[in-house]
Amino acid sequence: MKNYFCALCFLVSFCFLVSFVGAANIKVMTQNQYIGADLTPLFAAPDEAAFNAALVNALQTVAANRPADRMRALADDIAKERPALVGLQEVYQFQCSGPGCSDPSIASAFVDYLQLTVNALDGTYQEVATVVNLNIPGPGIPFKINGADAVLSVVDRDVILARSDIEAIPVDYTVFQGVGVCLKSSGDGCNYSLVPEAPTPLGSIDVERGFVAVDATIDGKNYRFVTTHLEVQQPDPTNPLSQVFQSAQAAELLQILLNTTPLNRSLVVIGDMNSDPTESDIAGPLPLPAPFNSGIVTPYHQFVEAGFTDIWELRPGNPPGDTCCQAEDLSNRRSALDQRIDMIFSLEVPTKVKKVRVVGDKASDKTSPPGVRLWPSDHASLTGELQFQLLTAQK
């Protein structure tokens, strides 16, 4: 009985110290803009001639997929949903120099997806934080098309957009409490320590991935908002153990976020996790360095085990929520989405979620004529409104 009254006294005291003062709402969106082509043939090319042919074909596919039209369609989805914060992945910029760049089969590929997106949003959103991932600047990759020389430069980024009425400040992960936590600083964010190398006849390319975060106060509540794009499940399809790359990246991300996020900020992580809830872990022992010799845990399972809530799971009913993937050329008549790999995770459990839905998966979302109507991306976007209880301390 004494213990009961002690517990009751503590509860009453807590109620005097802290009280509920209402609810705070934040709407977020994750959107993979899609490079516009499958790059696998590039890394399978046995010699320079085959590599050149694969590169030209990839650029022709990117151009045929009309990136300017697609970015406008993706921007329309953002404008309709009006999230406070948006995480973008595969935000590419293609640049070209040399006479071959003007070849009509590839000329429309050389655009900046970020600039096209911001322009289409017409001042309603602004870029507030960017991490640079794959980066092939000058002198770039030389190639020939129809006998003409050209040099290609490519940049891949993950970007956070904020609605124009939201103030969002990039999080500096280079130093936390005097200790460096970001081993590979890039732009406003970090690249992961472990990334695969893609061999080509012109030399190996590090396929960088990363994450970036902002702090923002929305509807009276403090947030840390993070976006990332983890490695594909098996970057080497012939080796199941190549799944270790995305697992290591997720582990690194979680370690940094859980050890550096202030207690007064609610942590929301969104992005293309390349990890479906149905995928299985790989049990050990494995011929891998520690700690992965004991097994490989998928990114999705790591987040759940770390205490994060998968916001899609809070929706009523049991809708599939698939967000990937349409055909490479985006021309498939019916949606082919069959994987749920784009996620919204929250460390604090929301009191309510509203309007959690897949966006861009309907035929009406395709690009407008002229030309064949295309899906805006090989991914659909995911958006949701999270509601949290606001607390205030009483004197």
Side-chain angles (χ1 to χ4, degrees):
M1 182 65 71
K2 181 179 179 181
N3 289 339
Y4 170 79
F5 280 113
C6 288
L8 182 61
C9 290
F10 173 79
L11 180 61
V12 171
S13 299
F14 178 80
C15 291
F16 277 113
L17 291 172
V18 178
S19 62
F20 297 110
V21 295
N25 294 276
I26 179 174
K27 190 172 187 179
V28 299
M29 175 184 265
T30 178
Q31 183 181 92
N32 183 313
Q33 296 195 320
Y34 178 46
I35 182 176
D38 179 11
L39 301 185
T40 304
L42 282 170
F43 306 128
D47 53 42
E48 291 190 21
F51 180 84
N52 188 90
L55 178 60
V56 169
N57 182 71
L59 289 172
Q60 289 172 334
T61 304
V62 171
N65 281 337
R66 309 202 312 268
D69 290 344
R70 293 198 301 107
M71 295 310 113
R72 281 192 291 269
L74 290 170
D76 284 346
D77 288 339
I78 296 172
K80 290 173 185 174
E81 294 295 322
R82 296 200 73 251
L85 297 168
V86 185
L88 304 177
Q89 305 89 42
E90 292 195 31
V91 188
Y92 272 85
Q93 180 183 32
F94 294 94
Q95 295 178 297
C96 188
S97 60
C101 305
S102 59
D103 188 289
S105 70
I106 62 172
S108 59
F110 306 119
V111 293
D112 182 347
Y113 291 10
L114 177 58
Q115 194 61 55
L116 289 171
T117 302
V118 172
N119 289 349
L121 289 166
D122 194 25
T124 57
Y125 285 81
Q126 57 188 342
E127 178 264 333
V128 290
T130 296
V131 60
V132 178
N133 298 320
L134 176 68
N135 187 8
I136 306 174
I141 303 174
F143 69 98
K144 286 182 178 289
I145 180 168
N146 293 327
D149 292 321
V151 178
L152 173 69
S153 299
V154 183
V155 179
D156 171 37
R157 300 155 293 185
D158 299 332
V159 177
I160 295 176
L161 303 181
R163 206 173 57 217
S164 57
D165 60 325
I166 302 295
E167 182 180 5
I169 308 300
V171 177
D172 183 2
Y173 284 108
T174 53
V175 177
F176 177 75
Q177 296 181 351
V179 178
V181 293
C182 176
L183 300 180
K184 295 166 65 178
S185 180
S186 176
D188 301 305
C190 300
N191 290 142
Y192 293 115
S193 301
L194 188 62
V195 296
E197 278 190 359
T200 78
L202 303 183
S204 294
I205 298 173
D206 287 339
V207 185
E208 300 283 1
R209 305 275 186 173
F211 68 94
V212 66
V214 297
D215 285 340
T217 301
I218 299 168
D219 205 13
K221 187 172 179 63
N222 298 326
Y223 296 94
R224 178 154 290 181
F225 178 79
V226 185
T227 190
T228 190
H229 185 190
L230 300 180
E231 186 52 72
V232 297
Q233 185 183 26
Q234 291 182 9
D236 180 359
T238 67
N239 180 11
L241 296 185
S242 65
Q243 188 172 325
V244 71
F245 287 100
Q246 63 164 214
S247 180
Q249 291 171 3
E252 181 178 356
L253 176 61
L254 284 167
Q255 182 180 31
I256 291 174
L257 297 184
L258 294 175
N259 286 304
T260 62
T261 301
L263 294 177
N264 68 339
R265 292 199 174 272
S266 186
L267 181 58
V268 177
V269 183
I270 63 96
D272 178 358
M273 304 298 174
N274 272 315
S275 179
D276 188 288
T278 63
E279 291 168 357
S280 300
D281 302 333
I282 300 178
L286 300 174
L288 292 171
F292 300 102
N293 53 13
S294 60
I296 298 174
V297 182
T298 69
Y300 183 88
H301 292 155
Q302 287 188 51
F303 269 86
V304 172
E305 290 169 10
F308 282 82
T309 296
D310 173 4
I311 297 304
W312 187 263
E313 294 291 341
L314 300 183
R315 275 187 52 127
N318 190 29
D322 293 330
T323 57
C324 186
C325 293
Q326 309 292 6
E328 179 191 7
D329 67 0
L330 304 175
S331 67
N332 47 298
R333 183 178 176 186
R334 295 182 179 178
S335 177
L337 303 177
D338 61 358
Q339 301 173 58
R340 188 163 79 85
I341 62 176
D342 298 271
M343 300 289 172
I344 300 173
F345 286 116
S346 175
L347 188 57
E348 179 182 350
V349 182
T351 54
K352 184 186 295 186
V353 297
K354 299 181 286 184
K355 302 175 183 176
V356 180
R357 59 183 179 178
V358 174
V359 178
D361 61 334
K362 306 291 190 301
S364 58
D365 298 313
K366 290 184 177 182
T367 58
S368 301
V372 176
R373 298 188 66 199
L374 303 175
W375 296 102
S377 170
D378 67 337
H379 285 239
S381 304
L382 180 65
T383 186
E385 186 173 333
L386 287 58
Q387 184 177 94
F388 298 96
Q389 199 73 48
L390 275 178
L391 303 176
T392 185
Q394 305 294 319
K395 294 183 179 180

